[in-house]
Amino acid sequence: MTEIPKSHPRYASLMTRERIAEGVRNGITSIQGLIAQGRGEAFDYIIGERTMVSADRAALAAAAALLIAKRPAISVNGNVAALVPGEMVELASLLNAPLEVNLFHRSEERVRRIADLLRSHGASLVLGENPDCRIPGLEHSRALATRGGIYDADAVLIPLEDGDRCEALVGMGKTVIAVDLNPLSRTSMMASITIVDNITRAVPNLMGKIRSLSGSPAEHLQTVLRGYSNRDTLRDALLEMREYLTARMNELDGARDQPVSR
């Protein structure tokens, strides 16, 4: 990867780009994943590259949902594997949940590479290399699933997912938790709980919430979930975006133009 000094003001963002590009070179991420990363980065600018209050609230609800679940599962695609492989393995260990590789642009070679990458980070159970069922209502390889994993799960974490699959999983009666920087995407709208945040911040934050709630009575976890509204959370995310942009506009209004040298 390109060497980027930590003193660079765009260090975190540039390192994310580098990880995605390296993922493509290593056969982990698809070329289309580069486009998805660029779109997400644009939204990250709009939220100020920070975890918003609404995202933090969603992460708490997601933690409660995953702890209540009897059969949680975690979906991993190429971008997720390139950006947070170790964190996803740690999250799976916290929940005693399987990781399952599911790709829109699927090839068996890429599935194997992602599974091997997760195992190299210590994953004990990685599914997806031998799918044995299909998610109802979906065509294409994104319908492929595995019994004992996503297909049988009652709660599924689907970071950086496509909207059709999100909708289909909700239609199966599952609690679906999405991580998506675009609060207007179909995935965000269809999910049970949407964390509008960069996955590099969202997953560590989610793990922190899980640890803080671990051992809590089921009644408390249910109270957290009953108090959550995904519609209100997405609305609040948009309001926080507007507030951030308004503040930046006010800064520009108050700044003096620099003289143009001639």
Side-chain angles (χ1 to χ4, degrees):
M1 293 192 294
T2 303
E3 185 174 347
I4 300 171
K6 291 187 176 180
S7 60
H8 194 291
R10 307 289 312 146
Y11 176 78
S13 179
L14 292 175
M15 283 304 299
T16 299
R17 296 182 196 176
E18 287 294 323
R19 290 190 188 104
I20 290 290
E22 185 74 2
V24 173
R25 288 191 287 269
N26 291 337
I28 299 295
T29 307
S30 69
I31 292 292
Q32 293 84 352
L34 292 170
I35 300 171
Q37 169 61 28
R39 180 181 60 203
E41 187 175 303
F43 277 95
D44 208 11
Y45 285 177
I46 295 173
I47 69 175
E49 296 175 293
R50 65 200 165 97
T51 295
M52 299 186 292
V53 173
S54 56
D56 196 60
R57 185 169 69 244
L60 184 67
L66 290 167
L67 287 169
I68 288 173
K70 294 180 179 178
R71 298 180 304 278
I74 301 170
S75 182
V76 178
N77 65 15
N79 281 37
V80 173
L83 293 175
V84 286
E87 291 88 339
M88 296 305 283
V89 171
E90 185 178 353
L91 176 59
S93 178
L94 276 177
L95 295 169
N96 193 27
L99 295 161
E100 183 167 340
V101 181
N102 184 278
L103 305 177
F104 188 93
H105 303 282
R106 183 184 178 97
S107 74
E108 300 312 308
E109 175 66 14
R110 198 152 72 87
V111 171
R112 183 189 63 78
R113 286 177 181 268
I114 292 171
D116 286 346
L117 175 65
L118 294 171
R119 293 186 189 105
S120 75
H121 282 271
S124 58
L125 180 58
V126 182
L127 305 175
E129 292 173 285
N130 300 293
D132 54 11
C133 53
R134 298 181 67 88
I135 296 168
L138 285 182
E139 299 177 358
H140 192 259
S141 58
R142 70 185 186 277
L144 296 174
T146 308
R147 293 192 181 276
I150 288 171
Y151 189 84
D152 294 321
D154 52 356
V156 186
L157 175 65
I158 54 165
L160 314 184
E161 186 59 85
D162 72 280
D164 283 359
R165 189 158 173 269
C166 177
E167 183 177 8
L169 290 170
V170 170
M172 293 178 72
K174 304 178 189 299
T175 298
V176 179
I177 301 157
V179 179
D180 196 321
L181 274 161
N182 177 6
L184 298 175
S185 73
R186 189 173 181 195
T187 299
S188 292
M189 298 287 193
M190 293 305 307
S192 311
I193 299 170
T194 302
I195 303 171
V196 181
D197 203 359
N198 191 313
I199 191 171
T200 60
R201 297 188 298 267
V203 175
N205 189 35
L206 176 58
M207 287 193 289
K209 302 295 186 191
I210 289 170
R211 290 189 176 100
S212 69
L213 288 176
S214 182
S216 297
E219 294 81 4
H220 176 64
L221 299 177
Q222 292 288 0
T223 298
V224 171
L225 282 179
R226 282 195 296 269
Y228 180 81
S229 165
N230 204 52
R231 183 189 66 178
D232 290 348
T233 297
L234 294 177
R235 183 177 183 276
D236 288 347
L238 289 169
L239 289 173
E240 288 182 85
M241 286 180 173
R242 185 176 71 179
E243 290 168 3
Y244 179 79
L245 291 175
T246 299
R248 303 291 78 74
M249 288 174 64
N250 290 339
E251 288 177 2
L252 289 172
D253 289 342
R256 293 182 179 180
D257 285 331
Q258 295 297 316
V260 178
S261 58
R262 299 180 182 279

